[in-house]
Amino acid sequence: MQLTDVWFVLIAILWTGYFVLEGFDFGVGALLRVLGRDDTDRRVMINTIGPLWDGNEVWLIVAGGATFAAFPEWYATLFSGFYLALLLILVALIGRGVAFEYRGKVDTVRWRRNWDRVIVVCSVLPALLWGVAFGNIVGGVPLDAEHEFVGSFLDLLNPYALLGGLTTLLLFVLHGAVFLSLKTDGDIRTRARTLAVRIGAGAVPVAAAFLLWTWLDHGAGVVTLVLALVAAGALVSGLLATRAGREGWGFALTAATIVAATAFLFTALYPFVLPSTIDPAFGLTTTNAASTPYTLTIMTWVAAVMTPIVLCYQGWTYWVFRQRISRSHIPAPVPSAPVEEQV
């Protein structure tokens, strides 16, 4: 296996980790006003991801950095052609982080309600747009002979990519609902489990349609077929486990669904990293988009040393914050001065 293939696989792993971990973050945020009947419920929900969400975003930063270093032409074409979509995602991620930090700064209903809305919108938007982006990456975009994007933002909003966006949105919201049923206790746990099953009823046909469309048009093969079947089987099994009250198994299986689906997309994409819809010869591949062998060699040694350290640290974080959270764990808010009186 060449180093270009190694780094294609490593980038696929980084995106998989990001979608699995940040996926339930997005799901929790999207459900904040649905499952949270009052402020205490919503504080319980936010606290389930409070120690985790910013660490989960490290996977995105590393995936972007690895793409920039290993496949600079892929990175350059993505960030020029997908500029508006990626800018919207970036703004949403910033707004979401600010909302988490500022929501409890002022003890008024209006203040918290407005920041809650920011959390919901800034969770739904990336969950949708990441699917649209990867739908276009796998399906291809108009690239000319110089590997320049010659389309427009509207070209990215094609039916296949929009179906991909709906698929990731539903899978992430489902993943978040199962996570909440695993991490909370009491009435909110019961409601999260019930809602997960209802969301799953919509996620199954949508995800199946997207996987089938992808397999027929972009990746028909034995390996991709096996991955698609694994994703479908894990999704259905996860719903059954959640419905039976086996939240641990349910969360593991919805995570397995996202892993298999992401592996399916990258397998269907290979050896391209960004196909051209104008002429296949104009597409970017793992070969013509890659850095020099020397650069890839240095990166491989750095990744071999640092990756286990990062994985151990993040695993330890999840272990420390593994307990369930209930309303009894939420202290009463500390009264604060009105906004106009604060310095």
Side-chain angles (χ1 to χ4, degrees), residues 17 25 38 49 57 86 98 121 125 143 158 176 227 269:
D25 281 356
D38 56 22
I49 60 174
E57 291 188 351
L86 294 177
V98 171
V121 172
L125 192 61
L143 299 180
N158 55 81
L227 289 171
L269 178 63

Side-chain angles (χ1 to χ4, degrees), residues 19-28 30-31 127-128 131 163-179 196 199-208 210-211 228 231-232 234-236 239 250-251 253-262 264-265:
F19 287 151
V20 169
L21 299 178
E22 190 82 321
F24 69 74
D25 281 356
F26 290 146
V28 172
L31 295 173
L128 175 69
L163 180 61
L166 182 59
T167 300
T168 54
L169 176 60
L170 289 174
L171 286 180
F172 290 167
V173 173
L174 169 63
H175 196 39
V178 177
F179 176 78
I199 296 171
V204 169
V206 171
F210 179 67
L211 292 174
L235 178 57
V236 174
L239 291 175
F251 181 74
L253 287 165
T254 54
T257 301
I258 296 173
V259 170
T262 308
F264 167 81
L265 291 177

Side-chain angles (χ1 to χ4, degrees), residues 199-232:
I199 296 171
V204 169
V206 171
F210 179 67
L211 292 174
L212 180 61
W213 190 343
T214 304
W215 188 78
L216 291 175
D217 283 2
H218 308 294
V222 176
V223 176
T224 49
L225 178 60
V226 170
L227 289 171
L229 293 176
V230 169

Side-chain angles (χ1 to χ4, degrees), residues 67-335:
T67 304
F68 171 77
F71 301 102
E73 195 157 358
W74 184 18
Y75 181 93
T77 304
L78 278 178
F79 275 79
S80 59
F82 293 32
Y83 179 80
L84 181 56
L86 294 177
L87 177 62
L88 289 173
I89 291 174
L90 178 61
V91 171
L93 293 178
I94 293 173
R96 190 164 164 269
V98 171
F100 284 141
E101 298 295 333
Y102 276 78
R103 182 184 184 278
K105 297 298 184 182
V106 178
D107 185 24
T108 66
V109 173
R110 182 180 179 182
W111 175 271
R112 291 192 297 269
R113 182 176 61 244
N114 288 338
W115 284 116
D116 286 346
R117 290 169 176 166
V118 173
I119 292 173
V120 172
V121 172
C122 292
S123 297
V124 170
L125 192 61
L128 175 69
L129 289 180
W130 280 129
V132 174
F134 270 83
N136 280 290
I137 290 174
V138 174
V141 293
L143 299 180
D144 63 16
E146 301 298 324
H147 302 149
E148 295 289 340
F149 179 78
V150 293
S152 65
F153 178 72
L154 293 179
D155 291 326
L156 303 179
L157 304 179
N158 55 81
Y160 172 73
L162 291 175
L163 180 61
L166 182 59
T167 300
T168 54
L169 176 60
L170 289 174
L171 286 180
F172 290 167
V173 173
L174 169 63
H175 196 39
V178 177
F179 176 78
L180 285 171
S181 70
L182 175 65
K183 282 288 293 178
T184 60
D185 212 351
D187 184 54
I188 191 171
R189 174 187 178 185
T190 303
R191 286 188 277 115
R193 187 167 62 232
T194 302
L195 183 60
V197 175
R198 293 176 179 174
I199 296 171
V204 169
V206 171
F210 179 67
L211 292 174
L212 180 61
W213 190 343
T214 304
W215 188 78
L216 291 175
D217 283 2
H218 308 294
V222 176
V223 176
T224 49
L225 178 60
V226 170
L227 289 171
L229 293 176
V230 169
L235 178 57
V236 174
S237 300
L239 291 175
L240 294 176
T242 303
R243 183 179 181 182
R246 305 292 297 274
E247 292 100 340
W249 278 106
F251 181 74
L253 287 165
T254 54
T257 301
I258 296 173
V259 170
T262 308
F264 167 81
L265 291 177
F266 274 92
T267 303
L269 178 63
Y270 182 84
F272 287 98
V273 293
L274 190 61
S276 172
T277 56
I278 297 176
D279 187 332
F282 298 163
L284 290 170
T285 67
T286 56
T287 302
N288 63 22
S291 293
T292 63
Y294 182 74
T295 299
L296 295 177
T297 300
I298 297 297
M299 290 173 58
T300 302
W301 282 107
V302 173
V305 173
M306 298 303 299
T307 302
I309 297 174
V310 174
L311 291 176
C312 289
Y313 173 77
Q314 191 159 33
W316 176 79
T317 302
Y318 274 82
W319 175 256
V320 170
F321 295 102
R322 66 188 183 278
Q323 291 85 2
R324 290 182 181 271
I325 301 174
S326 66
R327 293 174 64 93
S328 63
H329 294 102
I330 304 300
V334 178

